[in-house]
Amino acid sequence: MAKETSKQTVQKIPVIAPKTKKTVTAILIVVVLLYGLAAVQTSAYPDRIVSGLPIIVEFVVQDLIPPNWGYYKTVLEKLMETWNIALLATTLAAIVCLPFSFLAASNITTSKIVYNVTRFFLNILRTIPELVLAVILVGLVGIGALAGILALFIFSLGILAKLISETIEAVDPGPLEAIRATGGNIVQVIWYGVLPQILPHYASYTLYVLEINVRASVVLGFVGAGGIGMILRHQLNYFNYDNVSMIILMTFIAVTIIDTISSRIRERLV
């Protein structure tokens, strides 16, 4: 009798339910199959990656090290241009996105037509990658920082308006209904009811998009949209790998500093 009681007390309780385990196993099998299919389709076999590693190491050791330290003035100047492109595009997008955000919020916009049209327009903006926008805008306004600013502005507008409109829809409806009950118009509802609730998220999202734009503006330079990407492409074309190394190093330091400061500020806001 005592042995039966002991067997009952030591009976294992499954950490994961059998049904959940089967589902997770099936998902993992599908993911592995998809990875295998992708490797076959792209010929990215593990042996090719392993055989290519010594070439990568040799390139880094012999060509990228040491960086050309004397090239820092040129890099610094272009880094400032990159930062200014990202900052200007983000600032413009943060201002322009507000009216679109309110039009795309169902608890503010009562007209279904306006709401759906605004949503559709924002979907289009988010669908076009910033690199494609930069290529088109370089053709329209010419090579330079203006094309980069416009490309990042359009891209940022789509992201910010989407995020902020969803934040508006999630606000506490109590203050909005109280203002409406006292005869407040739509402007007063937005000013006194919505804005105080969304301002921390608004600032946080703007800083996050600024981080994205700093990194994106580096790539945009490859298609002639200004910034440090332009000199990176130029130095790569002339095989000046010591200069390339200096560009990569300073870009890494700058992006890390910006990300750290932005993350700290966003943590305090939200």
Side-chain angles (χ1 to χ4, degrees):
M1 187 68 181
K3 286 183 179 179
E4 289 180 0
T5 308
S6 175
K7 284 181 180 178
Q8 287 177 357
T9 53
V10 297
Q11 189 176 10
K12 290 183 179 178
I13 301 173
V15 178
I16 303 174
K19 189 177 178 182
T20 307
K21 192 183 287 184
K22 288 180 182 176
T23 307
V24 172
T25 305
I27 292 172
L28 286 175
I29 290 171
V30 171
V31 169
V32 170
L33 287 174
L34 287 174
Y35 272 111
L37 184 63
V40 172
Q41 185 71 28
T42 58
S43 300
Y45 300 114
D47 61 319
R48 293 189 61 186
I49 297 172
V50 172
S51 62
L53 278 177
I55 300 172
I56 297 172
V57 173
E58 185 182 347
F59 169 71
V60 171
V61 173
Q62 293 186 359
D63 295 324
L64 292 182
I65 298 176
N68 180 11
W69 302 107
Y71 194 58
Y72 79 94
K73 286 185 179 176
T74 306
V75 179
L76 193 61
E77 183 183 338
K78 284 296 180 183
L79 267 178
M80 289 302 299
E81 184 180 302
T82 300
W83 164 254
N84 289 331
I85 290 171
L87 181 65
L88 190 54
T90 309
T91 305
L92 289 174
I95 296 170
V96 178
C97 78
L98 280 175
F100 286 101
S101 301
F102 289 115
L103 290 173
S106 58
N107 57 344
I108 300 296
T109 303
T110 54
S111 171
K112 288 290 181 187
I113 296 175
V114 174
Y115 171 79
N116 289 323
V117 168
T118 309
R119 286 266 174 177
F120 181 70
F121 174 67
L122 295 177
N123 288 339
I124 293 173
L125 292 185
R126 288 197 308 278
T127 303
I128 307 171
E130 69 272 20
L131 196 59
V132 176
L133 285 170
V135 171
I136 296 170
L137 289 165
V138 164
L140 292 175
V141 302
I143 293 174
L146 181 59
I149 293 169
L150 291 174
L152 289 179
F153 163 71
I154 295 170
F155 179 70
S156 306
L157 178 62
I159 294 178
L160 278 174
K162 168 74 173 173
L163 292 173
I164 295 169
S165 65
E166 290 181 353
T167 305
I168 293 170
E169 289 180 337
V171 298
D172 180 8
L176 280 61
E177 291 171 3
I179 295 169
R180 287 181 181 126
T182 56
N185 57 33
I186 186 65
V187 176
Q188 291 169 325
V189 169
I190 291 172
W191 186 258
Y192 296 107
V194 179
L195 282 178
Q197 296 189 62
I198 68 164
L199 275 179
H201 291 91
Y202 171 69
S204 175
Y205 291 147
T206 303
L207 286 171
Y208 178 63
V209 170
L210 177 62
E211 288 178 31
I212 295 174
N213 283 345
V214 170
R215 288 190 286 267
S217 59
V218 176
V219 180
L220 296 187
F222 275 83
V223 294
I228 200 165
M230 289 185 69
I231 61 168
L232 181 58
R233 187 185 64 174
H234 183 76
Q235 297 304 320
L236 281 171
N237 289 340
Y238 286 95
F239 306 106
N240 295 326
Y241 293 124
D242 52 349
N243 291 345
V244 171
S245 179
M246 192 63 193
I247 293 170
I248 293 171
L249 179 64
M250 290 188 67
T251 303
F252 171 74
I253 293 171
V255 170
T256 303
I257 292 171
I258 292 167
D259 282 1
T260 304
I261 295 173
S262 176
S263 298
R264 296 287 172 84
I265 295 174
R266 284 193 289 115
E267 284 173 6
R268 290 176 180 273
L269 287 171
V270 181

